[in-house]
Amino acid sequence: MPMYQPSSGRRREADSELGLGGGGGGGGQVLDVETAVKDGILGGGGLICDGGGAEKLDLKEIVEELENIEVPSVFICPISLEPMRDPVTLCTGQTYERSNILKWFSLGHFTCPTTMQELWDDSITPNNTLHQLIYSWFWQKYLAMKKRSEDVQGRALELLDTLKKVKGQARVRALKELRQVVASNSSAKKTVEDNGGLGSILSLLGPFTSHAVGSEAIGILVNLDLDAESRRNLVQPAKISLMVDMLNEGSTETKINCTRLIETLLDGDDCGADTVSSFSLLVGLLRLIKEKKHPNGVLAGLRLLKALCCQEPVRNSVVSIGAIPQLIEILPNFDPECLELALHVLDSLSSLSEGRVALKDCPNTITNLVKLLMRISESCTQLALSILWAVCKLAPEECASQAVEAGLAAKLLLVIQSGCNPVLKQRSAELLKLCSLNYTATLFISKCKLTRTIQ
């Protein structure tokens, strides 16, 4: 959907600012700018207010600055569905962006794109009235946005100053407001980063930090761009310990923020999985992943768990806390994105002998994995096959027969005949051969319930 094509309800709201009822595109409506100003559509004052001496910008620059704003339909070119910058009107009364209608003509069309009427006059007339109205509307929106941005920047600075002076509940309140300001406004975020805000927030985290202060501080940090010094500061044992504690005991939002922040630290060069990993962290992550009511927490937890499983010592710890049977059981409940992450985790755990044993011993491993083949994505199919191969190779007689009963053979033939990559087809053929070793050809075909054509 084009960037400036609002939903019908929101389009009506934008149109109401101009006093327009229904109708879209240019529609041939004649708009009187002076009347618009007089009636308060553009606000009081002259046609184009200068906002207290603010520097004028080109309309293109203003539109780009306000790319997410809802635009009245009369400003939208019916061809591109984007705001017009140089509107021109045809003899039919319809208005278009100049470059779009000229391109339409260059393609050999001699009709009006909206009405499909044949044109009796190929001239185009600049719609100066509409152009002025468009500029005025965008300019005032731009000035209002600038003012709001300046206001939140000023408030962010005030809050940073307040944090240096207050303690207790007053500090918590200031942190909470700063978190809300930073999360909702990119200019406030930059203001905090450029004025020593990172150092101020980091100084509040330590072994004696209350969870009330810690949760708000973490909520601010996940919205900021951490530099190398800040990352090194955060990987101190006392700070990692605080984040892990809040991951286990905080609110769902706090748990998600702690998870996201630890994942951010792992992306840098100053922190490895072994630096932050602990049994307490892994247990907290597993709890978060199992909270079905909070899909954002499930996603954040799986992303961090996948990142942590890049190192073998961590994988051993993940297996030892019983993560494999828990992940297998909730596998069918995941959405596609979470499912792929969970399969990545299980695949990495299957590289360990303890992991393969845990997968084999889980009664639903094979059944749940077979169901995923050729259903979600090629990536999920490849990961599921890799795990199935590891399990069936460990105990061919026990697992292969169970896999055949679950319908694996038919799924593997489907993969082999599909347009999947050659590596996936080769693995499917190897697994199919492994499954057939314990059967005669006739019995295997019978067990798989294959058609005569497949035979």
Side-chain angles (χ1 to χ4, degrees):
M1 183 177 289
M3 184 183 300
Y4 287 97
Q5 185 180 10
S7 63
S8 58
R10 297 176 74 179
R11 180 187 287 116
R12 285 195 293 271
E13 291 176 13
D15 289 347
S16 68
E17 295 184 36
L18 297 175
L20 302 177
Q29 299 182 59
V30 179
L31 300 174
D32 178 15
V33 180
E34 293 183 6
T35 302
V37 175
K38 180 180 177 182
D39 292 345
I41 294 171
L42 295 175
L47 172 62
I48 302 177
C49 62
D50 62 7
E55 181 184 352
K56 293 291 176 57
L57 297 177
D58 180 78
L59 180 56
K60 179 181 178 182
E61 294 177 274
I62 298 175
V63 171
E64 288 173 352
E65 286 280 342
L66 300 170
E67 62 178 6
N68 293 319
I69 197 170
E70 297 301 334
V71 180
S73 57
V74 74
F75 296 166
I76 302 294
C77 174
I79 297 176
S80 67
L81 298 178
E82 292 189 358
M84 291 181 282
R85 298 165 186 169
D86 186 9
V88 294
T89 303
L90 303 185
C91 60
T92 58
Q94 300 293 325
T95 301
Y96 302 92
E97 172 66 26
R98 181 188 293 272
S99 60
N100 294 332
I101 194 63
L102 290 178
K103 184 175 181 180
W104 174 261
F105 290 158
S106 71
L107 295 174
H109 302 295
F110 197 61
T111 55
C112 173
T114 300
T115 65
M116 295 312 294
Q117 287 178 273
E118 207 167 311
L119 301 177
W120 58 91
D121 183 352
D122 63 355
S123 63
I124 56 176
T125 306
N127 193 330
N128 294 325
T129 300
L130 181 57
H131 179 270
Q132 289 179 315
L133 184 58
I134 291 172
Y135 189 98
S136 297
W137 189 87
F138 272 103
W139 180 244
Q140 291 198 11
K141 294 292 182 183
Y142 175 76
L143 291 179
M145 181 201 73
K146 290 276 286 183
K147 186 176 187 309
R148 287 195 302 270
S149 178
E150 290 167 2
D151 289 344
V152 295
Q153 288 173 17
R155 185 56 183 154
L157 288 173
E158 289 176 5
L159 290 168
L160 284 176
D161 188 54
T162 300
L163 286 174
K164 299 173 184 177
K165 305 172 184 176
V166 297
K167 295 182 179 181
Q169 285 303 308
R171 174 177 286 177
V172 174
R173 288 193 294 271
L175 283 169
K176 183 175 183 178
E177 185 178 350
L178 184 59
R179 174 176 60 81
Q180 294 168 342
V181 168
V182 167
S184 61
N185 196 286
S186 58
S187 62
K189 167 185 167 181
K190 191 172 188 313
T191 298
V192 171
E193 293 169 350
D194 294 346
N195 289 274
L198 272 170
S200 298
I201 303 302
L202 288 169
S203 68
L204 300 177
L205 300 177
F208 304 109
T209 302
S210 69
H211 283 195
V213 169
S215 62
E216 297 298 346
I218 298 296
I220 295 170
L221 290 172
V222 293
N223 287 294
L224 301 179
D225 294 326
L226 303 178
D227 54 25
E229 184 180 350
S230 300
R231 289 171 182 270
R232 285 192 293 271
N233 187 304
L234 274 170
V235 296
Q236 295 175 18
K239 290 182 170 58
I240 294 294
S241 178
L242 176 65
M243 283 187 271
V244 171
D245 285 346
M246 291 192 294
L247 172 59
N248 279 281
E249 301 173 13
S251 65
T252 301
E253 183 181 7
T254 298
K255 291 177 181 178
I256 294 172
N257 286 335
C258 290
T259 302
R260 288 172 53 200
L261 188 57
I262 294 173
E263 185 189 1
T264 300
L265 294 178
L266 288 176
D267 289 338
D269 299 328
D270 301 307
C271 178
D274 56 337
T275 306
V276 300
S277 181
S278 64
F279 279 104
S280 184
L281 171 65
L282 297 175
V283 169
L285 278 181
L286 209 51
R287 286 199 195 113
L288 185 61
I289 290 168
K290 291 164 65 179
E291 289 187 18
K292 301 177 185 177
K293 296 180 181 178
H294 304 285
N296 289 338
V298 175
L299 179 61
L302 285 169
R303 284 171 58 95
L304 179 54
L305 190 58
K306 178 192 171 187
L308 291 170
C309 284
C310 65
Q311 294 194 5
E312 185 172 333
V314 180
R315 292 198 292 271
N316 279 316
S317 298
V318 173
V319 173
S320 69
I321 65 171
I324 286 180
Q326 295 182 63
L327 287 175
I328 288 292
E329 290 306 312
I330 58 178
L331 211 55
N333 301 326
F334 289 141
D335 62 36
E337 186 177 7
C338 290
L339 178 61
E340 186 166 334
L341 289 169
L343 288 173
H344 270 291
V345 172
L346 291 170
D347 187 42
S348 66
L349 298 180
S350 71
S351 66
L352 303 174
S353 58
E354 298 88 345
R356 292 190 289 275
V357 171
L359 284 164
K360 180 185 76 68
D361 291 343
C362 184
N364 292 322
T365 295
I366 291 175
T367 304
N368 286 349
L369 290 174
V370 168
K371 289 178 181 177
L372 297 176
L373 296 178
M374 299 299 288
R375 283 191 62 186
I376 309 299
S377 66
E378 185 171 319
S379 177
C380 285
T381 295
Q382 187 163 349
L383 290 166
L385 272 179
S386 176
I387 301 166
L388 283 167
W389 171 261
V391 174
C392 292
K393 197 81 165 43
L394 178 66
E397 293 186 6
E398 177 186 349
C399 296
S401 59
Q402 185 183 345
V404 170
E405 294 291 343
L408 176 62
K411 286 287 188 81
L412 293 176
L413 286 170
L414 187 60
V415 173
I416 292 169
Q417 297 174 60
S418 71
C420 294
N421 69 68
V423 175
L424 194 54
K425 291 184 177 184
Q426 180 63 32
R427 175 50 58 89
S428 298
E430 292 171 354
L431 189 52
L432 188 64
K433 182 178 179 181
L434 182 65
C435 290
S436 67
L437 292 179
N438 297 317
Y439 300 94
T440 63
T442 304
L443 184 58
F444 184 62
I445 291 172
S446 173
K447 283 280 185 184
C448 299
K449 301 177 182 176
L450 302 178
T451 64
R452 187 173 299 174
T453 303
I454 294 177
Q455 293 178 44

